[in-house]
Each structure stands twice: as structure tokens, then as C-alpha cells.
Amino acid sequence: MSLILDEAGNPATIGTSISYWLSSSDFVSTSGCQATALGNLGFPREWPEVYSSSKVLKSLIGKKGRCAGKRVGVLVEPLEEEKAAVKGLALDRLSSFLNAERVQKHAGLDIVQGWAIYEHVDLGLSEGFVAQRYWWNMTAEGKWIDFSPWPASQTQLILAEAAGDASKSKSTLTQEEFDIAKSLSKQRFGVELQLLEKEKDKEK
């Protein structure tokens, strides 16, 4: 069990806590799956061939796609010397937005706004894909780096820089946003999220 935390690192409560909470609008599934029921997601199979051969994927991140990308790249985990630049920095498992801002403030690396791309691996090959709104950082030389924590089984990630708007606003935590965070935390990291018990609840 782990408490869900707000932007300041404090235990969050619905209706009062502010942060960049993931919401249903941050996920686009070509199969129409809801954010709390995405199923098993993984690195797109048969990459990179699928990028040019799949009409489904093109409908998502192609030039005229729902989450059109102007640049697409495959990232691996940062090098040890790159990690040293953010050593000791608190990074959130589920908020790439907070992480990118913290890295920018701490290390001066620019923020790139866009989408993380996954495949619905429970479906047939190239039958369904998901774009998740996502931010990461870029060095002065133009190299993309993602410092957000990855699941232990993940070794690479496809990111698409948005051709349009991929901005994100902070909001007050809702029940739906907590449900999304709880689902993703359990699926990706095996961590069960919970809310801080209110005093009146403890007294029952």
C-alpha cells in the first residue's frame, strides 16, 4: 500500500489536493478503452516497421492523427552520468508532468510535451494502440531524456512530440482521477494506492 501524493509530496485527498492528476482526457485509445480499463499495454510490436505499415497507428500519431506527432523517438533509460544530474530529486511514478518541471528547475533541461505510445497487447497484432499525454526533457544538444520512473519490466519507450497542443493544467483531485492513478499504479508498478484516511473515517 502507498498513499497518493499531491504536488508538494503530501498525502492527497479528493476535492482538496492539487497536482497534475492524470484524467480520462490524457488517454486516447484507438480501441475506445476507458482510462481505468486499458488492459495490458506494451511497447508496440514489430517496431519500427509498424510505424509505417499500420493504419491504426497512423490514425493516432500520424500527421493527421488524433494525437499528431511532429517527431517520434524511442528512448531507453538515462545513462548513469545523466541520472547523476538529478540525483536526490523526488520523481513521481505517475506524473511525467511534475517530473519534467522538476528536472527543468533542477538541471535546466527544456520540457518536451507530447505523448507516450503503447500497444494494446491483449489484442491482435497492431489492432489497437494508446497515446498517453506525457512530458519529458531535452538536453541543449537536442537529446530527449525521460527521468520519470519506469516499470521494472520496461526497457524502452516510444515518445511523440506533439504537433499540436499537449499542455496540461493542474487540478483538484477527483474520484475518477484517483481511480485512474490507482489502476495504473497497480498495473505498472504493482503498488496499491490509497487515500489518506480522514479522522472522521477512523472514528467509525
Side-chain angles (χ1 to χ4, degrees):
M1 288 285 189
S2 179
L3 292 174
I4 185 171
L5 305 178
D6 65 14
E7 62 177 347
N10 299 316
T13 54
I14 292 172
T16 59
S17 297
I18 296 175
S19 190
Y20 285 117
W21 307 113
L22 284 169
S23 66
S24 57
S25 64
D26 294 320
F27 297 86
V28 179
S29 165
T30 61
S31 300
C33 296
Q34 299 300 308
T36 53
L38 293 171
N40 291 321
L41 302 180
F43 188 86
R45 293 167 288 187
E46 297 194 353
W47 183 271
E49 291 79 9
V50 67
Y51 182 54
S52 56
S53 65
S54 172
K55 292 182 179 180
V56 179
L57 184 55
K58 285 183 180 179
S59 74
L60 187 63
I61 59 172
K63 292 182 179 179
K64 297 182 179 180
R66 297 163 68 186
C67 304
K70 62 181 180 181
R71 177 185 170 190
V72 177
V74 179
L75 272 67
V76 296
E77 285 195 287
L79 301 172
E80 289 304 318
E81 54 264 35
E82 293 170 337
K83 291 180 181 179
V86 297
K87 186 176 181 180
L89 193 64
L91 298 172
D92 191 280
R93 281 192 294 263
L94 298 178
S95 184
S96 66
F97 318 110
L98 277 181
N99 296 335
E101 284 193 344
R102 289 170 178 171
V103 170
Q104 182 185 51
K105 184 177 180 179
H106 182 82
L109 301 183
D110 287 343
I111 294 175
V112 184
Q113 298 181 358
W115 306 86
I117 310 302
Y118 304 94
E119 182 176 359
H120 282 295
V121 293
D122 288 335
L123 301 179
L125 184 65
S126 301
E127 285 187 4
F129 297 90
V130 173
Q132 176 187 330
R133 195 184 310 272
Y134 205 90
W135 293 358
W136 58 99
N137 297 94
M138 180 173 65
T139 67
E141 295 74 32
K143 179 184 178 181
W144 287 358
I145 305 180
D146 180 29
F147 288 105
S148 289
W150 289 1
S153 60
Q154 183 175 320
T155 59
Q156 52 189 347
L157 178 65
I158 295 176
L159 296 173
E161 182 179 4
D165 182 25
S167 60
K168 174 75 175 175
S169 299
K170 293 179 181 179
S171 61
T172 301
L173 182 64
T174 66
Q175 182 64 54
E176 179 192 47
E177 289 165 343
F178 171 68
D179 291 342
I180 291 172
K182 185 176 181 180
S183 175
L184 290 176
S185 178
K186 180 66 174 178
Q187 182 185 55
R188 295 180 178 178
F189 299 97
V191 176
E192 190 78 39
L193 281 185
Q194 64 179 10
L195 293 163
L196 181 67
E197 275 190 88
K198 295 180 180 178
E199 290 301 320
K200 62 180 181 181
D201 294 330
K202 292 180 181 180
E203 295 171 1
K204 292 181 180 180

